[in-house]
Amino acid sequence: MTRDRPLKGIYPGSFDPVTKGHEDIVRRALAFCDVVIVAVARHATHVKPGLFEVAERVAMIEEVFQDVPQVQVTAFDGLLVDFARAREASIIVRGLRAVSDFEYEFQMALMNRQLWPGTETLFLAPDPHYSYLSSSLVREIASLGGDVSEFVSPTVRARLDSRFGRSNDIDPTNEP
Ligand code: PNS
């Protein structure tokens, strides 16, 4: 099938910070979409304690995908479907790591389609190597002095190290 316009996917999320699991989903989405817009939400459904400012999350994702011109990165306010419609992005991309993700993801997919019938959600399974990975675990491990280099790109790791002053000086045997 030929298209007269590029097929745009939008990959929304909190990305606090972006992990190798997210990177894997973006690369998989590029097999279906001509352009993938990674969209950092200012209004997430489940508000979690934030670590990085939205602008910093965007900057990290831009650095990670600096060599991939088909990837655009931006923050957005308000409803995802309004943003997707404004950008003419008809596919919402979401990663499904495990069955535990399903209920929330299914609910959002149906609600988004109800709000804007012009959209479909495309669920992608990550590389199993990343199926246990989440930004919240990365934040926790980094905050406690652990090594997250396996889970995030070097640019993200550097920012986590600088945020937490990683020096491995936490003594796990040091009881209160
Ligand atoms: O990475 P997350 O936190 O699971 O992503 C959730 C996100 C950002 C995709 C969702 O909260 C969202 O779409 N927020 C924008 C506001 C919105 O459209 N809410 C209605 C969702 S049905």
Side-chain angles (χ1 to χ4, degrees):
M1 194 175 87
T2 54
R3 292 191 291 270
D4 51 3
R5 286 184 305 177
L7 184 62
K8 288 188 202 168
I10 190 157
Y11 181 31
S14 302
F15 304 110
D16 187 24
V18 64
T19 68
K20 287 191 177 175
H22 297 128
E23 292 177 36
D24 178 61
I25 294 296
V26 171
R27 292 182 200 284
R28 287 173 194 283
L30 284 172
F32 302 92
C33 304
D34 302 310
V35 173
V36 172
I37 304 168
V38 183
V40 182
R42 289 210 176 85
H43 302 105
T45 308
H46 292 166
V47 179
K48 306 155 210 165
L51 175 61
F52 292 105
E53 294 294 327
V54 168
E56 205 171 354
R57 298 181 210 171
V58 168
M60 282 187 274
I61 304 168
E62 280 172 345
E63 285 165 25
V64 167
F65 290 107
Q66 61 186 348
D67 297 327
V68 190
Q70 305 95 309
V71 175
Q72 301 170 2
V73 189
T74 184
F76 74 101
D77 291 297
L79 283 178
L80 170 63
V81 287
D82 290 340
F83 181 69
R85 188 163 25 194
R87 290 295 196 97
E88 299 182 318
S90 53
I91 296 179
I92 296 172
V93 174
R94 292 286 288 174
L96 264 191
R97 290 167 302 188
V99 175
S100 52
D101 283 343
F102 183 76
E103 202 172 330
Y104 165 56
E105 294 296 336
F106 194 60
Q107 193 181 11
M108 278 205 302
L110 293 180
M111 182 57 86
N112 281 327
R113 199 169 56 195
Q114 179 69 27
L115 293 171
W116 180 38
T119 190
E120 290 290 347
T121 299
L122 177 67
F123 293 118
L124 295 176
D127 184 317
H129 188 65
Y130 302 126
S131 60
Y132 58 90
L133 185 52
S134 69
S135 297
S136 56
L137 276 182
V138 165
R139 290 198 299 271
E140 181 178 334
I141 293 164
S143 73
L144 297 173
D147 180 6
V148 292
S149 49
E150 212 186 315
F151 314 128
V152 296
S153 280
T155 180
V156 178
R157 190 193 138 180
R159 285 185 197 242
L160 285 165
D161 287 353
S162 115
R163 178 62 62 99
F164 294 114
R166 181 167 187 261
S167 56
N168 281 327
D169 56 2
I170 295 176
D171 177 1
T173 63
N174 189 4
E175 290 176 12

